[in-house]
Amino acid sequence: MVSIGSKALPARRHRTCGFVEDSLMVKEDALYKRGKGKKGMNRKDRGERHEFDGDNSKKTISGRTDDRSVAGRKFSKHQSTSASQTAHVRKQVDPEMAKYFSEVSNLFESDGVDIEERSVICGNALEETRGKELELATDYILSHTMQTLLEGCDVDHLCGFLQSCAMDFPSIAMDRSGSHVAETAIKSLAKLLEDNDVYSVVEETLTILCKVVVTNPVDLMCSCYGSHVLRSLLCVCKGVKIDSDFHVTKSSTVLAERLNFRASRIDGDYSHLQQGFPDLLKFLVSGMIKRTRKEIKTLQVDQFGSLVLQTALKLLAGNDEELLHAIPILLGCNKEDILEGNYIEMDIVRNVVNLMKETAFSHLMEVILEVAPEVLYNEMFTKVFKNSLFELSSHHCGNFVIQALISHARCQDQMELIWEELGPKFAVLLEMGRSGVIASLIASSQRLHSHEHKCCQALTAAVCSANESPRFIVPRILFLDNYFFCEDKSNWNWPSGARMHVLGSLILQAVFRYQSEYMQPYVTSITSMETDHVLEAVKDRGGARVIEAFLTSNASGKLKRRLVMKLRGHFGELSMHSSGSFTVEKCFTVGNLSLREAIVTELVAVQSELSKTKQGPYLIRNLDVDRFATQPDQWRSKLASKQSAYDEFYATFGSGEAKPLKNEGFLADFSKHSSHPKDLKEMRKEIGNQLSSGVPFLSTSGFKSKPKKTDQHSRKHPETSVDYKITQVKNKNLKKRKSHVESDNVAAVGKMTENVGRSKELDQSVSKTGKKRERKDDQLNTSKKKLKA
């Protein structure tokens, strides 16, 4: 049997769930007995906070080593209990049974089974497991075969297997080999749920499993293997993908949400596999919390138990009734009947503050703050966190909780309280390496439109004294730790070749989203950087994003071009870098005609090498490098046509400040204008597409069916909004032509449209389009009648 298994094993050594390698099984048994076993199936400990740009070094979001991953690794008595149970649940498989399943395994490996026959063979083999599921699932070799059978069988045999072994399901899930089998079965259930006809039989099976789990959930929750299976079961009950953010959340994703770089996972739209089982999810979560209430102190500091509770809370997001019941229990409240406004007992407050300095509970608390209903969040803010913000911010675990608290602040009054405690401490927090707290505070000030100017001033004062030039601000924030670790800060110089600080670059990106009057010292600093330093920044991932953030900020186009000029002669080199290519494109966008031509000229020189890089074809296409290389005059004409379209748009729909500034040169800076950014982006894209296709910008072929009425300033439907605005331009131009009034906008459109030969054809096109799109508009109908007359 061993020789057969050894021969079959290599083809199925891969574990899709990321478990520990089976070859370490015996060794890890000994390690677990000594309490030194590896964590959770070789998965990353969520306590290890990685930097936003995907670096794998063990850094926190503040850029320093996370002590939570070192000092906070605790194993509860339940973990050692589960390990000992694992050693006892394994039983010797009957030799005849082992021989049978080895033959089945060899049959599948020989590729001699048709797809139609595979399901039948898997079903027949699973029938032979009745009463022997525990022994087979926990066998080191045969568990691989069990996974293959569960992946290939139909829904009846799959559900039959799970129902038959339901009483042993926790034991299987807590076993090193059995956990793979249990999770494979759950994933197969999720996959089969794509067929609505199997919904009832799957619900019946899940109900049986959930009833077994809630009878004794603590051991399962605290098991490094069982906890992962339990989280998958929760996801299936909710109806979400098992590998979604509800199950495994990357620290970079959390950080992006906190700094307003992406929408919240809780508020976002998730693709569901099926309708889900909401009542079953409620039963499972409430049953788990009820059964574990007496041992909640153990779960609060247990790594794997905390992960299960985090997943459960994320899946309950939006269900305020369940959350208002569950969260106080998880915090340690003992009251059965909790009244609104008194969810948190005052005698547990100090204990909760101390628990937030523990690795497992700090992670759990972050999720609690993320999903807590507003009334409960407000009570936690005033009872638990008030007057403890700096204490927790200074702690290597607690500071992550404070970041979550700040990122989910509900109102300006809460922002005021946060500022009172942390505003004067910017320099101290940065010296302690708690830059994540500063970044969250800046992001929340933008989101709530509160203390924006004060945040900029406090950050400036923290890195640059009053008697120093503001030109030092950006370099010191780019190398935040390097600067604050320097003994003689007054003689600190740019550390050439050193990697730029991730949180420092994120802070600067946030700063450049402020209004121009708030970020003036930062604009002065970045435009004063030496050419070599700008070039080095663009070659760094974080530094490149800072440069791009400045180029898309509210700063004037003149200042942006001053920075871009420092990169002249290096655009070809930068375009070859994965991060620098995006910066080159941003430089092209803000450049005037001569600067754009210089950029493309440099790209033509490296075009063959650039086309072989991952980002090269995209950059060549967007900047139309091929056209410039073969037909430079046509390239210039097309560029001028685009500019004319932009000028026409802003001249018509911009505010008093929206007209192109002549002294800004070609492609004036429009970031000061009142148009919404999303509308502008869609409008640019539409104009670019129209020009690339050779279709006149205002021709009817660019429009489809009659649009619905929509708000001009709608952010949700920018394309419709832009179409409506363009229609107004066309009718306005039509009136002017009929009254023999010369129009600059008509001239701009004439330059822009290469395929329009005569203005008469354009008149007819515009007239037809106007009639189709504005039939219900009384004002435009009146205008049409006048024009016909």
Side-chain angles (χ1 to χ4, degrees):
M1 173 179 150
V2 175
S3 61
I4 293 175
S6 299
K7 183 178 180 180
L9 187 59
R12 293 195 295 280
R13 284 187 61 83
H14 175 65
R15 294 293 196 176
T16 57
C17 305
F19 290 160
V20 291
E21 295 183 6
D22 294 319
S23 60
L24 299 176
M25 182 184 70
V26 177
K27 186 176 180 179
E28 287 189 359
D29 277 338
L31 290 174
Y32 267 105
K33 290 177 182 178
R34 297 197 301 268
K36 298 178 181 179
K38 289 190 176 182
K39 300 178 125 176
M41 297 159 279
N42 208 24
R43 298 187 184 91
K44 287 181 181 178
D45 176 18
R46 191 171 176 266
E48 296 178 5
R49 298 308 182 95
H50 300 288
E51 297 178 342
F52 182 62
D53 62 350
D55 177 42
N56 290 325
S57 59
K58 294 181 180 179
K59 296 291 188 68
T60 67
I61 60 173
S62 64
R64 295 187 181 180
T65 303
D66 188 351
D67 297 332
R68 293 201 288 187
S69 63
V70 179
R73 296 181 179 178
K74 294 187 176 181
F75 289 87
S76 70
K77 62 180 181 180
H78 293 281
Q79 294 171 25
S80 58
T81 300
S82 299
S84 62
Q85 287 177 348
T86 300
H88 291 294
V89 297
R90 293 194 181 117
K91 297 180 182 179
Q92 184 68 37
V93 179
D94 181 74
E96 290 297 323
M97 182 72 71
K99 181 179 179 182
Y100 170 75
F101 281 100
S102 295
E103 291 175 353
V104 172
S105 176
N106 292 334
L107 180 62
F108 285 132
E109 286 186 348
S110 65
D111 295 329
V113 182
D114 295 334
I115 297 178
E116 294 80 6
E117 296 176 348
R118 189 179 185 89
S119 178
V120 176
I121 295 175
C122 289
N124 292 337
L126 284 176
E127 289 180 0
E128 297 295 326
T129 66
R130 294 295 174 90
K132 302 290 183 180
E133 296 91 352
L134 179 60
E135 293 90 326
L136 292 168
T138 56
D139 184 85
Y140 171 56
I141 296 174
L142 296 182
S143 61
H144 295 79
T145 306
M146 294 297 297
Q147 286 182 260
T148 303
L149 297 178
L150 292 170
E151 289 172 341
C153 68
D154 57 31
V155 65
D156 292 327
H157 286 97
L158 176 60
C159 292
F161 172 84
L162 286 172
Q163 291 178 18
S164 177
C165 69
M167 297 306 298
D168 294 320
F169 184 78
S171 298
I172 293 173
M174 289 187 290
D175 181 81
R176 180 178 288 101
S177 298
S179 58
H180 299 300
V181 176
E183 186 149 6
T184 298
I186 292 175
K187 286 186 175 181
S188 297
L189 273 183
K191 186 176 181 180
L192 290 170
L193 278 171
E194 296 174 1
D195 181 3
N196 293 329
D197 295 337
V198 305
Y199 187 87
S200 59
V201 66
V202 172
E203 183 178 25
E204 180 184 357
T205 302
L206 289 175
T207 301
I208 295 173
L209 293 180
C210 291
K211 287 181 178 179
V212 173
V213 168
V214 297
T215 57
N216 183 24
V218 178
D219 287 339
L220 193 61
M221 294 172 70
C222 294
S223 166
C224 62
Y225 304 114
S227 62
H228 196 78
V229 175
L230 184 52
R231 291 157 68 195
S232 297
L233 180 61
L234 287 165
C235 288
V236 172
C237 290
K238 176 67 175 180
V240 299
K241 294 181 179 179
I242 291 178
D243 58 353
S244 66
D245 284 345
F246 291 102
H247 198 323
V248 179
T249 303
K250 295 181 179 180
S251 56
S252 58
T253 301
V254 176
L255 185 57
E257 293 172 7
R258 289 180 181 173
L259 301 186
N260 304 330
F261 286 107
R262 61 167 284 176
S264 171
R265 294 159 291 150
I266 302 303
D267 299 333
D269 295 329
Y270 289 90
S271 56
H272 288 59
L273 293 176
Q274 71 286 326
Q275 184 179 354
F277 308 90
D279 293 336
L280 200 52
L281 176 66
K282 178 180 176 181
F283 167 79
L284 180 57
V285 176
S286 60
M288 285 166 44
I289 293 177
K290 181 179 179 181
R291 291 284 183 175
T292 58
R293 189 163 191 164
K294 293 181 179 179
E295 299 189 65
I296 198 65
K297 291 183 179 180
T298 298
L299 291 175
Q300 286 175 334
V301 296
D302 183 88
Q303 176 190 348
F304 304 111
S306 173
L307 288 171
V308 174
L309 294 173
Q310 291 171 47
T311 300
L313 291 176
K314 292 174 188 176
L315 296 173
L316 287 177
N319 190 336
D320 289 358
E321 182 180 354
E322 290 299 313
L323 290 171
L324 289 173
H325 172 73
I327 292 177
I329 295 176
L330 299 182
L331 294 178
C333 295
N334 296 316
K335 288 184 179 179
E336 294 289 343
D337 299 322
I338 302 175
L339 301 176
E340 183 174 345
N342 192 28
Y343 295 102
I344 310 298
E345 301 168 13
M346 291 303 299
D347 55 353
I348 69 159
V349 169
R350 191 63 236 176
N351 183 53
V352 172
V353 172
N354 291 332
L355 281 172
M356 282 186 273
K357 299 175 183 179
E358 297 287 339
T359 303
F361 189 80
S362 66
H363 287 302
L364 177 60
M365 195 66 192
E366 290 177 53
V367 177
I368 288 175
L369 291 169
E370 182 179 3
V371 303
E374 184 171 357
V375 61
L376 182 55
Y377 176 93
N378 294 339
E379 187 173 342
M380 287 190 293
F381 188 97
T382 54
K383 288 185 177 181
V384 179
F385 291 98
K386 189 177 180 181
N387 300 323
S388 298
L389 293 179
F390 182 69
E391 174 190 348
L392 290 170
S393 297
S394 305
H395 193 268
H396 64 268
C397 289
N399 81 91
F400 294 108
V401 181
I402 299 303
Q403 292 177 42
L405 177 78
I406 296 173
S407 299
H408 296 94
R410 294 330 201 244
C411 60
Q412 293 184 350
D413 290 340
Q414 291 173 350
M415 190 65 190
E416 177 65 34
L417 292 174
I418 293 171
W419 180 259
E420 288 178 3
E421 293 191 45
L422 299 182
K425 307 289 186 179
F426 267 47
V428 178
L429 290 171
L430 289 174
E431 288 177 355
M432 291 190 297
R434 309 301 179 223
S435 51
V437 176
I438 304 299
S440 297
L441 189 54
I442 291 174
S444 290
S445 75
Q446 294 174 335
R447 178 172 55 86
L448 297 173
H449 304 292
S450 174
H451 296 78
E452 295 168 287
H453 194 199
K454 289 183 179 180
C455 281
C456 281
Q457 290 177 324
L459 180 60
T460 300
V463 298
C464 186
S465 61
N467 58 352
E468 288 184 302
S469 169
R471 68 186 180 88
F472 296 113
I473 296 175
V474 170
R476 289 176 178 177
I477 297 177
L478 283 175
F479 296 97
L480 207 53
D481 277 356
N482 188 290
Y483 170 71
F484 278 101
F485 283 155
C486 180
E487 295 182 1
D488 186 8
K489 293 183 175 59
S490 60
N491 292 323
W492 180 87
N493 292 312
W494 179 283
S496 183
R499 185 182 178 187
M500 295 180 183
H501 194 268
V502 175
L503 256 297
S505 67
L506 290 172
I507 289 173
L508 287 173
Q509 290 175 58
V511 166
F512 285 122
R513 293 203 298 265
Y514 279 126
Q515 298 179 30
S516 57
E517 58 266 29
Y518 297 156
M519 62 179 184
Q520 197 56 47
Y522 300 87
V523 174
T524 301
S525 178
I526 198 170
T527 54
S528 302
M529 287 173 60
E530 297 178 12
T531 300
D532 292 343
H533 295 169
V534 176
L535 183 61
E536 189 173 341
V538 177
K539 292 180 180 179
D540 183 274
R541 288 184 178 181
R545 293 190 180 105
V546 172
I547 300 298
E548 292 166 23
F550 168 68
L551 295 178
T552 56
S553 68
N554 288 329
S556 69
K558 183 178 180 180
L559 293 174
K560 293 176 183 178
R561 286 189 285 278
R562 181 187 298 175
L563 181 68
V564 173
M565 287 297 295
K566 296 183 179 183
L567 297 174
R568 195 160 186 170
H570 299 282
F571 292 113
E573 174 190 358
L574 295 174
S575 65
M576 305 295 288
H577 287 262
S578 57
S579 57
S581 62
F582 295 100
T583 309
V584 170
E585 187 176 3
K586 291 290 191 301
C587 292
F588 182 87
T589 302
V590 303
N592 52 28
L593 182 57
S594 61
L595 189 53
R596 287 184 169 195
E597 190 168 339
I599 293 173
V600 180
T601 301
E602 293 187 39
L603 297 187
V604 170
V606 297
Q607 184 175 359
S608 59
E609 294 84 359
L610 182 60
S611 62
K612 298 175 184 177
T613 63
K614 181 180 179 180
Q615 71 282 355
Y618 173 85
L619 190 62
I620 291 172
R621 182 176 64 254
N622 276 16
L623 274 56
D624 206 2
V625 176
D626 289 330
R627 189 191 300 269
F628 181 82
T630 56
Q631 298 175 312
D633 291 337
Q634 189 177 1
W635 180 87
R636 297 185 188 94
S637 176
K638 180 182 176 183
L639 210 59
S641 298
K642 282 187 178 182
Q643 180 62 34
S644 298
Y646 300 150
D647 291 350
E648 177 187 2
F649 180 86
Y650 287 115
T652 305
F653 301 109
S655 61
E657 303 174 341
K659 295 181 180 180
L661 304 177
K662 293 182 180 180
N663 60 350
E664 290 282 356
F666 184 84
L667 190 62
D669 175 60
F670 296 113
S671 58
K672 301 176 183 177
H673 304 156
S674 59
S675 300
H676 293 299
K678 290 185 179 179
D679 291 348
L680 172 60
K681 183 177 180 181
E682 292 296 332
M683 185 272 292
R684 286 180 179 273
K685 182 178 179 181
E686 183 174 345
I687 293 175
N689 291 339
Q690 291 288 343
L691 291 171
S692 299
S693 63
V695 179
F697 177 55
L698 298 182
S699 71
T700 55
S701 61
F703 302 99
K704 297 183 180 179
S705 58
K706 178 180 176 181
K708 297 179 181 179
K709 281 189 177 181
T710 223
D711 183 3
Q712 287 187 19
H713 300 287
S714 172
R715 290 177 178 267
K716 295 184 178 180
H717 305 285
E719 293 181 0
T720 305
S721 178
V722 173
D723 286 347
Y724 180 74
K725 293 176 181 179
I726 293 174
T727 303
Q728 288 184 316
V729 176
K730 293 187 289 184
N731 285 279
K732 179 180 178 181
N733 291 340
L734 185 60
K735 293 178 184 178
K736 290 182 178 180
R737 286 198 187 93
K738 293 298 181 178
S739 60
H740 303 288
V741 178
E742 293 296 328
S743 172
D744 293 336
N745 287 337
V746 174
V749 173
K751 294 179 183 178
M752 176 181 58
T753 56
E754 301 172 3
N755 296 329
V756 176
R758 298 177 180 178
S759 61
K760 181 178 179 180
E761 295 174 0
L762 181 61
D763 289 343
Q764 293 173 351
S765 175
V766 172
S767 178
K768 291 178 182 179
T769 305
K771 292 177 181 179
K772 289 181 180 179
R773 296 176 67 86
E774 305 294 337
R775 292 180 189 276
K776 295 183 180 181
D777 193 308
D778 295 334
Q779 182 178 356
L780 291 180
N781 280 334
T782 304
S783 300
K784 292 173 188 174
K785 291 178 182 179
K786 291 180 179 181
L787 292 173
K788 289 179 180 179

